[in-house]
Structure formats: C-alpha cells, structure tokens
Amino acid sequence: MNFAELYKEMGKHSWRILDAIFKNLWDYEYVPIQIISSQARIGEEKARNILRYLSDLRIVQNRQKDYEGSTFTFLGLSLYSLHRLVRSGKVNAIGKLMGEGKESVVFNCYSEKYGECVVKFHKVGHTSFKKVKEKRDYGDLHFSVLAIRSARNEFKALQKLQGLAVPKAYAWEGNAVLMELIDAKELYRVRVENPEDVLEMILEEVAKFYRRGIVHGDLSQYNVLVSEEGIWIIDFPQSVEVGEEGWREILKRDVTNIITYFNRAYRIEKDINSAIDRILQE
C-alpha cells in the first residue's frame, strides 16, 4: 500500500487516536491507552481495537510492559504530520517518492497555495537510534520527538535564510517540512564546467549564512544542488546558530568538506584557513 492509499484508509476516529498520541509524545515513550482513550473521546475497548488495526498497518507500535501503551512508527508519524499539513490547508495532494536517505524521506506534493512543492519527512533517530543518541546527546526521548526536533530545526534555519540560495520554507508540522521544489541535481552527480566559480559561489553562500547567524552543520557535495541558473544548498537539520557551543569547529568542518571535494574532483587548490578567515571577516 502506498502512502496516498494509506492516507485514504484513515477515518476520523483513527486521526483522533493519533492526535492523542502526538500530544503526549513528550511525556511518554508509549502513551497509556487510558490517556489515548480519554483525549480521543473514544471508549477504551474501541480505542484498543483501532490501535490494533493501526498496528497492522504499521502506523503505531503497541506495547504492554508495566502498562498498555502505544506510540508512532516512522510511517505513522509521517502520515500524521502530512494530515496536519492537509488539515491546515497547506497540502492538497501527495505525489511520488523523490528520494530516501538515512535521515529523511522526500515526496513531491501539490499545494493550492504554493504550487508544486516537496514535503520532507525527518526520520533522525529511527534506524540507528542508539548511535544517534550517542552522537548528538539527545537524551532518553522517543525517536518521534527527535524527528520532530530535527524538522523544526531545519524549518527555523531555512526561515532565517530566506532570500539566499536555499529552498523557500512554507510550513512545518511534526516531522514534516514543506518547501519549494528545486529543479536541479546534486553536485556529486554532475561535472560542472566552471568548478572554481561554483566553489566560490558555495563559499559566498556560507559567508551569507554566517552573517545571518547560521552554520549549515553538514555541508558536502551531497546537499549542494546545481543547475544552469546557479546553486542551492539544502538539508539543514544539523544546522547550528553562530554562538552555540562548537559552532566554529562545525563551520571549519563544513568548509573543509567542500574544499576537499573540489580538490579531489577538480584538482582545485584552496587554503582552508584562508577561506574560513574570509568568511569570518565578512
């Protein structure tokens, strides 16, 4: 069953159940069925039956340890986040899967308000939760909360960078960010004819980000898009604000990554420290 078909399977009681789970994610790894039943205004036995049905669809995960409770799967959180975008009038149709990586899944979609867009569902912490916790020190939270924080971080960063070479950010709900569709290819997939100019454009954007108080945090050839019209930089869930602990080291890593790629791919020699000094002086 594809994403759109699964969405159509959902009824009003199912959405109310998911509403109740979402509202309590920050307090419970598995939300107690008594709370779900009460907040959804559905009898406990009926709520239990709906949760079994949603579990069969792999939308929720039910568990009974010290108590009976339920939580989202990645699919369930994404479906619910899409529902919130639909409910708010931001998305009117969901399209095809455009790409999937370790930390996100991207679909194209249509919005009467914004036209053709993409919706990106964050899944940080889902596939390698223990590793992510160790790396980022998120604490003992369910992966759904981490994915929501990741989406929020990207949306807030994009909002601060609007007008620069980044996608327009339209909305954020749950683990979903609705943004502009960019018709371009990843830098690593193409052979650019003017690599020195492209590298300079990227470093200039990094400098502009810095002046707006943002460091990308994961800059590489995989999240730079290029076309005849120019460049765009995408994927900001790991961005940090200038002034946060470690931001200088993160900026240096970003610049090192991109200069190293151009050296390896195009034999361009550029001093990393000079490039960083120029960004900071600006």
Side-chain angles (χ1 to χ4, degrees):
M1 186 180 296
N2 67 33
F3 205 61
E5 289 174 349
L6 191 58
Y7 191 94
K8 293 176 185 176
E9 284 287 310
M10 303 290 288
K12 64 178 182 179
H13 291 103
S14 295
W15 291 128
R16 278 160 54 182
I17 291 281
L18 298 186
D19 263 328
I21 294 174
F22 183 82
K23 290 173 183 175
N24 291 277
L25 280 175
W26 284 259
D27 297 319
Y28 300 94
E29 185 176 7
Y30 288 82
V31 182
I33 190 163
Q34 292 84 0
I35 291 177
I36 296 172
S37 169
S38 172
Q39 293 192 3
R41 302 183 306 282
I42 296 171
E44 194 170 309
E45 192 54 39
K46 183 173 182 179
R48 187 175 286 110
N49 290 335
I50 293 172
L51 285 165
R52 288 194 190 113
Y53 169 72
L54 294 176
S55 177
D56 290 341
L57 294 177
R58 299 183 179 180
I59 290 171
V60 303
Q61 184 180 20
N62 300 325
R63 182 174 292 183
Q64 187 158 5
K65 282 191 174 179
D66 301 331
Y67 64 91
E68 189 177 355
S70 302
T71 194
F72 286 116
T73 62
F74 166 67
L75 173 62
L77 178 61
S78 301
L79 199 70
Y80 177 72
S81 299
L82 174 63
H83 175 64
R84 290 174 70 95
L85 287 170
V86 171
R87 191 165 60 185
S88 65
K90 301 293 196 313
V91 171
N92 300 94
I94 190 77
K96 294 181 179 179
L97 176 69
M98 295 183 66
E100 182 170 4
K102 285 191 229 176
E103 297 193 350
S104 68
V105 174
V106 179
F107 283 82
N108 70 348
C109 62
Y110 177 74
S111 166
E112 289 181 359
K113 187 171 184 179
Y114 305 113
E116 190 174 2
C117 307
V118 298
V119 57
K120 177 179 178 181
F121 298 103
H122 288 239
K123 60 178 180 178
V124 57
H126 178 60
T127 52
S128 55
F129 185 44
K130 290 181 180 177
K131 185 176 180 182
V132 169
K133 276 177 63 179
E134 290 169 4
K135 180 180 177 184
R136 300 182 189 167
D137 192 27
Y138 276 125
D140 296 324
L141 295 170
H142 190 263
F143 85 85
S144 294
V145 176
L146 312 188
I148 293 165
R149 284 183 176 179
S150 175
R152 179 186 63 187
N153 197 51
E154 176 161 55
F155 180 69
K156 288 173 66 177
L158 287 173
Q159 280 190 312
K160 288 185 178 180
L161 300 175
Q162 292 301 278
L164 303 183
V166 301
K168 294 176 183 174
Y170 299 129
W172 156 60
E173 290 286 356
N175 73 327
V177 179
L178 180 69
M179 65 184 80
E180 177 186 13
L181 172 64
I182 302 293
D183 185 15
K185 294 183 178 178
E186 294 98 330
L187 177 61
Y188 79 96
R189 292 183 183 273
V190 299
R191 190 79 185 168
V192 297
E193 295 179 0
N194 54 337
E196 293 92 350
D197 294 339
V198 172
L199 175 56
E200 282 304 312
M201 285 191 282
I202 294 170
L203 293 176
E204 178 58 30
E205 288 305 311
V206 172
K208 291 176 182 177
F209 295 170
Y210 166 70
R211 292 198 290 272
R212 296 260 184 114
I214 295 292
V215 177
H216 185 280
D218 191 31
L219 187 62
S220 74
Q221 64 271 25
Y222 300 104
N223 43 42
V224 175
L225 304 181
V226 294
S227 76
E228 293 180 358
E229 297 178 10
I231 67 154
W232 291 265
I233 297 176
I234 60 172
D235 294 338
F236 285 82
Q238 296 185 48
S239 64
V240 297
E241 294 188 355
V242 173
E244 282 189 49
E245 183 179 352
W247 72 269
R248 288 180 182 272
E249 290 76 16
I250 294 169
L251 175 63
K252 183 174 182 179
R253 186 181 66 201
D254 280 354
V255 174
T256 300
N257 285 347
I258 206 69
I259 288 178
T260 300
Y261 170 75
F262 275 88
N263 177 258
R264 186 173 67 247
Y266 297 99
R267 298 290 183 264
I268 294 174
E269 297 287 341
K270 194 168 192 68
D271 183 70
I272 292 169
N273 290 324
S274 296
I276 293 169
D277 287 344
R278 196 176 100 192
I279 290 168
L280 295 177
Q281 285 169 3
E282 293 182 355

